[in-house]
Amino acid sequence: MVHTWSSLISTLFLLLLCITGLPLIFHHEIDELLGYDPKPEIAQPGAVKRSIDEIARTALANDPGRVLQYILWDKDEPNTVVAFTNNKVDGDPDAATLRAYDAHTAKPLGSVGGGPMLIFLKLHVDMFAGQPGKLFLGAMGFLFLVAIVSGVVLYWPFTRRLSFGTLRDKSRRIAWFDWHNLLGAVTIAWALVVGATGVINTLAEVMLSQWKANEIADMVKPYAGKPPPVHRASLDTTIERARTTAPGMNISFIAFPGTPFTSSHHFAVFMRGDTPLTSRLLKPVLLDGETGEVSDARDLPVYLKVLLVSQPLHFGDYGGMPLKIIWALLDIMTIVVIVSGLYLWIVKRRKHRSHAIAGQPSLQPSR
Amino acid sequence: MTVARKSRSSGNWWTVYGGPLLIGVLSVAGLLSALLSEGPGRYFSWLALGAPVALTVWFFARRKRD
């Protein structure tokens, strides 16, 4: 019962998630192919990188009337800098414009993201329904986890007389039943991890506002009541001081005062390590927006660390192209589990309605 | 008593859950290895997470036809 209903309620949405998730595994490659992933020019040997203040000015000149929210450095693209502009520092994330700039020439290289993959992403993340849509999909993801666990419990009575991996073709129903069991059984751990990390990701905004209300508020206590900076400190000075505070780390992104990632008075520079794991575990350094002096630097709380580590485990983007291909195959296997489960339910219902057909082998748990 | 055990499908805990459990443990190890180590961890993750796919293909290839 638990297995039937948790699956049935979430079936349509899980199919949506699995199907939109499939191209998203390769979004980087697809964006590159369609021209939504601008590449830097080949740098002259010995070329010096432009100052970030200059890139910031260029970014504002490119999007007049807007403000900077974040400047980001992609780990895999050291020669580009991505600037986020929006109509307000705390503007709607959907209204943000992302443009790449060449780190050596400050030339605009084109907008980042967008195109068809953005549609897949929006469908996958919140079905164009904002935060409520996101939390709804989180609930559907939770039902998916319930369906998996209840499926593990049901696996015993249904397969105890069969050896692992039995695939019969006595009837279409039995064939699908065996496929449902086999594919479900071999993908359990992967599906649980991808499902659970997906659910965690739907809570990102909730966690961020929790962090802002507690940790950030505590870190900037001495500044309570101070207005937003009037004359902003130099970005290059600010970043340099953040680097000194977190030696051995690289900059991931800088959040401008008033954005969701910092206080209204501070820059937050998020530093990252250089191993696959530590590059996810960001360390924020808060710096005074007017002077660029370091105010405080603390490790992120456990719940945000969990969120950051859960992201690669959901995206499958941390083990090269072979891992992405395996991710896609496991996703397709999960789609077959969902569709076959739905098929088995429909057939069972139809059979119940028109009474059991004599001689049909039944799929009953064996005692 | 193990000597007297009959077919593999007699229905004990290990014959039902053993296979899926091993695959599950291997999958989790693969998921974590690429995160913790960039070189060898990555290669291991391809093998470990490729195992469910390979096993499925193997079961399909040796299925009995009626």
Side-chain angles (χ1 to χ4, degrees):
Chain A
M1 279 305 270
V2 176
H3 188 64
T4 305
W5 287 106
S6 57
S7 318
L8 274 178
I9 294 169
S10 55
T11 286
L12 270 184
F13 298 100
L14 282 175
L15 273 179
L16 169 83
L17 290 173
C18 288
I19 292 167
T20 54
L22 194 56
L24 284 174
I25 299 170
F26 304 102
H27 80 94
H28 200 81
E29 288 73 18
I30 297 173
D31 279 346
E32 211 165 297
L33 206 69
L34 299 179
Y36 292 99
D37 183 32
K39 292 276 168 257
E41 294 167 359
I42 311 290
Q44 301 292 325
V48 181
K49 286 193 178 172
R50 294 299 177 96
S51 85
I52 300 306
D53 286 306
E54 183 186 343
I55 289 177
R57 277 194 301 275
T58 316
L60 287 174
N62 259 304
D63 289 289
R66 290 167 77 89
V67 292
L68 278 163
Q69 282 189 300
Y70 313 101
I71 295 179
L72 177 141
W73 288 258
D74 191 328
K75 191 168 82 125
D76 304 315
E77 291 281 5
N79 293 329
T80 50
V81 177
V82 179
F84 288 57
T85 58
N86 207 328
N87 40 32
K88 287 188 303 199
V89 275
D90 57 350
D92 181 0
D94 288 340
T97 307
L98 283 70
R99 282 189 212 283
Y101 294 89
D102 192 295
H104 292 98
T105 62
K107 267 192 207 156
L109 301 170
S111 60
V112 180
M117 292 320 281
L118 184 63
I119 297 170
F120 281 107
L121 184 69
K122 290 293 290 174
L123 281 171
H124 190 83
V125 169
D126 61 11
M127 307 183 294
F128 293 94
Q131 185 65 3
K134 200 181 263 190
L135 294 175
F136 176 80
L137 287 180
M140 293 300 116
F142 183 75
L143 282 180
F144 179 54
L145 300 179
V146 173
I148 295 174
V149 172
S150 57
V152 173
V153 176
L154 279 183
Y155 190 71
W156 166 261
F158 277 101
T159 63
R160 54 176 298 189
R161 301 269 178 235
L162 303 168
S163 71
F164 179 43
T166 301
L167 291 172
R168 298 163 292 176
D169 50 7
K170 276 188 194 132
S171 75
R172 191 191 285 176
R173 194 160 59 101
I174 288 178
W176 279 113
F177 175 77
D178 286 345
W179 275 108
H180 186 77
N181 286 332
L182 172 60
L183 294 180
V186 297
T187 55
I188 283 173
W190 178 83
L192 275 177
V193 169
V194 173
T197 51
V199 172
I200 292 172
N201 271 287
T202 63
L203 301 172
E205 266 84 4
V206 180
M207 291 182 186
L208 198 62
S209 50
Q210 175 77 10
W211 177 64
K212 209 173 164 176
N214 297 319
E215 303 264 330
I216 295 239
D218 194 46
M219 285 163 91
V220 302
K221 224 174 219 161
Y223 294 82
K226 267 211 172 184
V230 183
H231 298 290
R232 271 205 314 245
S234 146
L235 294 172
D236 294 281
T237 318
T238 305
I239 291 166
E240 201 38 55
R241 288 195 179 129
R243 275 187 204 284
T244 324
T245 310
M249 296 181 93
N250 283 311
I251 183 165
S252 174
F253 70 96
I254 178 167
F256 283 67
T259 54
F261 286 84
T262 181
S263 83
S264 57
H265 191 82
H266 289 78
F267 284 111
V269 177
F270 287 79
M271 307 296 288
R272 65 169 164 231
D274 52 6
T275 71
L277 184 65
T278 58
S279 68
R280 314 279 169 174
L281 293 172
L282 302 174
K283 184 188 175 84
V285 182
L286 285 193
L287 306 105
D288 189 307
E290 282 193 327
T291 65
E293 298 285 351
V294 175
S295 301
D296 203 348
R298 289 183 200 176
D299 277 343
L300 289 175
V302 174
Y303 57 88
L304 279 182
K305 284 186 175 166
V306 168
L307 172 70
L308 290 170
V309 173
S310 80
Q311 286 176 339
L313 289 170
H314 187 74
F315 307 150
D317 61 351
Y318 62 108
M321 184 45 84
L323 191 67
K324 288 187 186 184
I325 293 170
I326 291 169
W327 223 258
L329 293 171
L330 292 169
D331 185 43
I332 292 168
M333 286 159 79
T334 307
I335 293 175
V336 176
V337 175
I338 295 170
V339 172
S340 59
L342 187 63
Y343 169 81
L344 290 168
W345 177 75
I346 292 171
V347 168
K348 196 174 112 192
R349 251 177 66 113
R350 207 184 283 156
K351 214 181 138 203
H352 268 289
R353 285 221 178 127
S354 61
H355 296 289
I357 303 153
Q360 268 258 4
S362 65
L363 295 173
Q364 292 298 322
S366 50
R367 300 187 190 286
Chain B
M1 78 176 195
T2 46
V3 184
R5 204 156 72 189
K6 291 171 291 176
S7 73
R8 279 187 56 207
S9 54
S10 59
N12 68 42
W13 188 88
W14 180 249
T15 52
V16 173
Y17 284 117
L21 192 69
L22 284 178
I23 285 287
V25 170
L26 196 62
S27 302
V28 172
L31 285 166
L32 294 178
S33 71
L35 204 56
L36 298 174
S37 136
E38 212 156 2
R42 193 172 265 212
Y43 300 134
F44 176 76
S45 79
W46 299 342
L47 292 176
L49 284 165
V53 182
L55 193 68
T56 304
V57 172
W58 188 69
F59 279 135
F60 177 70
R62 64 182 281 279
R63 75 194 185 285
K64 291 196 191 82
R65 289 168 189 273
D66 296 323

